[in-house]
Amino acid sequence: MALGNLGKTGRRHALRTEDCARVILAHDRHVKIQWFMLALSIAGLACAATPPSKLKTYRDFAARRDGNSERGRIVFFAADKAGCALCHSVDGSNTAAGPDLSTIGDKFGRRELIEAVLEPNAAIAVGYESALVETVSGENYLGVVKVADAAVIELMGADRLRVRRARADVKSMRPSPTSLMPENLHTALTAQEFTDLIDYLASLKQPASAVASHRGTPDVIPEVVKSISLRPLLADHDSFADPGARAPSAPRLGLVWFGEIPGRDSFLAAHQSGTLWLMEKNGQKYVKTLFADFTSEVYSRTGPNGLLGVAFHPEFAQNRKYYLKHQVFENDTITSVLVEKIARGDLRGDSGAPSRRLLTIPCVTQNHTGGCIEFGPDGFLYLGMGDTGPQEDPNGHGQNMQLLLGKILRLDVDRRDDALPYAIPSDNPFRDRAGVRPEIWALGFR
């Protein structure tokens, strides 16, 4: 439901996120998108965020009451209500700036749909984050990246219009932490209208599952033959909350990896923000202590970025080496990196020694950057790297054998080849093929 603002937005000073009025005026002056001004006025957009108490009112109402999907459909399409059809298709065509919602009810539950509308910046759909492009002449454009290659950058706004600029004319392209969807969309609706909208979104399903859902939930759900129990590993006061206070609409970050530390009866938990937590058993419970804090090294402000993968060297107990896959922001570009770290002698924390960077992979957009790293039984490190967008990989990164994007890589981190900080295993399938990156183990991944 991204009622966004694509177009020439004026000089850079007019794009301060805290100065809403200046952005609106510049946008209206240059591109005359009249519906955008209407959408802003009916959505009640203000520079201040909605108070948490107001969000709770809508959240609780929609969670505890039934809505009417037919009335919700009217709210979805009405320009003086939610106006979601401005930037979302519901027919499978995927022709708008935002994602097609024809099967959104299959993908997300009611709670997730409620949160997506109330806090659009907290979890923007992967592939539909907005970007800010600044040209060498000082013009600024905001929209969803649809094409980004060596020749051009093309953005689409919520009005479904595309702006295309030659790469030579682009000074920078930066990810925006703000969704094209207005943060206060729900304020144009009553609590009942908001609930009706959620019911309509929940009803958008593939035909087979839509039919199955009409059968309803059985009155009695039989118990499993052998009962199981789920127990929290940590007490509530040791939960993994975001570092510091999170604004209601800020991106949600959480745990991305959890595993046993080799050679120790303890675990490591990795938080997307860049913190690692040691979990050691003390009697009958686990106690959490900080293993390392790399938040200053990790970029996690926008998109599904941050610390995304951890792997311990097979001989970690002896050499104390472990590896991280995370994003950084360098040269106005989100970049995925693979780094080697060294733990302390007691293996209970990081040594503080500088990272040794093994791989640097610039990303085209801020999404689909992969994340998983793992040592195989052969002792080599495997790394999953996404195609980095735009959505649907229009540039064919996953099939381009001269790029590491959209591939699974296989590296020997214990040796070095020539100027590389790692070696290429002798049996990598493309090692001796001309015009192909020898790190590639498999190709064609999202």
Side-chain angles (χ1 to χ4, degrees):
M1 281 133 279
L3 302 177
N5 55 336
L6 169 75
K8 187 187 296 184
T9 57
R11 296 289 174 178
R12 188 169 187 170
H13 67 269
L15 285 164
R16 296 181 301 176
T17 56
E18 70 271 22
D19 195 349
C20 305
R22 296 183 70 178
V23 175
I24 294 168
L25 290 174
H27 188 281
D28 182 57
R29 180 172 62 249
H30 286 294
V31 294
K32 304 294 184 182
I33 301 180
Q34 296 178 357
W35 68 261
F36 177 65
M37 296 301 294
L38 172 64
L40 290 177
S41 63
I42 64 175
L45 268 180
C47 294
T50 303
S53 58
K54 187 75 170 180
L55 292 176
K56 186 176 186 301
T57 298
Y58 281 81
R59 182 182 291 113
D60 291 350
F61 192 98
R64 298 172 182 174
R65 291 173 172 81
D66 292 330
N68 183 294
S69 61
E70 287 301 318
R71 292 198 304 262
R73 184 180 186 279
I74 295 174
V75 172
F76 182 92
F77 283 95
D80 61 339
K81 295 295 183 181
C84 307
L86 286 170
C87 55
H88 291 284
S89 57
V90 291
D91 58 1
S93 62
N94 200 30
T95 53
D100 182 88
L101 303 180
S102 58
T103 60
I104 192 70
D106 283 320
K107 300 175 182 177
F108 300 102
R110 188 179 185 85
R111 181 180 64 83
E112 289 83 6
L113 293 173
I114 292 172
E115 296 301 325
V117 179
L118 290 179
E119 300 188 49
N121 296 326
I124 303 173
V126 175
Y128 295 94
E129 299 91 346
S130 57
L132 175 64
V133 170
E134 181 183 4
T135 67
V136 293
S137 59
E139 299 167 343
N140 293 281
Y141 299 90
L142 181 67
V144 176
V145 178
K146 292 298 182 180
V147 177
D149 55 32
V152 300
I153 291 177
E154 185 176 285
L155 304 178
M156 177 186 280
D159 54 357
R160 307 194 185 196
L161 297 179
R162 294 177 181 247
V163 170
R164 195 178 182 91
R165 289 292 177 267
R167 275 280 187 182
D169 296 332
V170 173
K171 179 180 179 180
S172 67
M173 182 173 71
R174 292 174 173 269
S176 170
T178 305
S179 169
L180 291 182
M181 172 180 169
E183 188 173 322
N184 294 346
L185 176 67
H186 61 283
T187 60
L189 311 175
T190 66
Q192 185 59 59
E193 287 173 332
F194 175 77
T195 303
D196 293 338
L197 174 63
I198 297 301
D199 270 58
Y200 173 65
L201 295 174
S203 73
L204 297 176
K205 300 181 178 182
Q206 298 181 58
S209 55
V211 172
S213 68
H214 291 315
R215 300 171 186 168
T217 303
D219 293 332
V220 178
I221 300 177
E223 295 183 2
V224 294
V225 176
K226 183 179 180 180
S227 62
I228 61 173
S229 62
L230 299 176
R231 298 187 302 272
L233 197 61
L234 293 173
D236 289 342
H237 63 271
D238 275 335
S239 61
F240 294 91
D242 284 355
R246 186 183 74 84
S249 60
R252 292 191 184 94
L253 304 178
L255 293 183
V256 294
W257 189 90
F258 180 87
E260 188 174 12
I261 299 178
R264 293 187 59 85
D265 184 21
S266 57
F267 297 91
L268 192 74
H271 195 277
Q272 191 175 352
S273 62
T275 53
L276 298 173
W277 295 91
L278 176 67
M279 299 173 60
E280 297 179 294
K281 199 165 188 178
N282 183 1
Q284 297 300 312
K285 64 179 183 179
Y286 279 89
V287 178
K288 181 186 75 170
T289 57
L290 186 66
F291 183 91
D293 185 350
F294 300 124
T295 52
S296 63
E297 303 176 25
V298 173
Y299 176 83
S300 61
R301 288 186 59 245
T302 61
N305 298 300
L307 174 58
L308 300 181
V310 180
F312 291 101
H313 193 282
E315 298 179 6
F316 173 75
Q318 290 75 43
N319 63 23
R320 298 181 286 135
K321 294 180 180 180
Y322 67 104
Y323 300 82
L324 305 179
K325 163 91 160 41
H326 64 85
Q327 274 70 51
V328 297
F329 195 74
E330 295 178 343
N331 302 316
D332 285 336
T333 302
I334 293 177
T335 300
S336 291
V337 298
L338 172 69
V339 299
E340 179 183 270
K341 296 281 191 178
I342 302 293
R344 294 194 320 235
D346 62 3
L347 306 182
R348 300 186 67 251
D350 185 77
S351 67
S355 300
R356 183 170 78 95
R357 187 180 291 193
L358 302 180
L359 268 180
T360 301
I361 309 176
C363 303
V364 177
T365 69
Q366 57 188 311
N367 53 78
H368 295 295
T369 54
C372 182
I373 56 176
E374 190 73 40
F375 279 93
D378 52 14
F380 298 131
L381 181 64
Y382 291 77
L383 180 148
M385 185 63 209
D387 61 39
T388 76
Q391 187 71 0
E392 307 301 334
D393 192 20
N395 300 335
H397 295 154
Q399 305 298 323
N400 188 335
M401 299 299 284
Q402 296 182 1
L403 299 176
L404 299 181
L405 305 177
K407 313 295 191 303
I408 291 180
L409 312 180
R410 184 174 183 245
L411 310 175
D412 182 349
V413 298
D414 292 323
R415 298 187 303 112
R416 299 188 182 190
D417 282 346
D418 300 325
L420 294 175
Y422 52 85
I424 306 299
S426 60
D427 57 347
N428 265 19
F430 306 104
R431 177 185 170 94
D432 298 317
R433 189 174 300 185
V436 177
R437 290 293 298 263
E439 298 93 339
I440 298 173
W441 174 254
L443 67 146
F445 293 91
R446 184 65 186 91

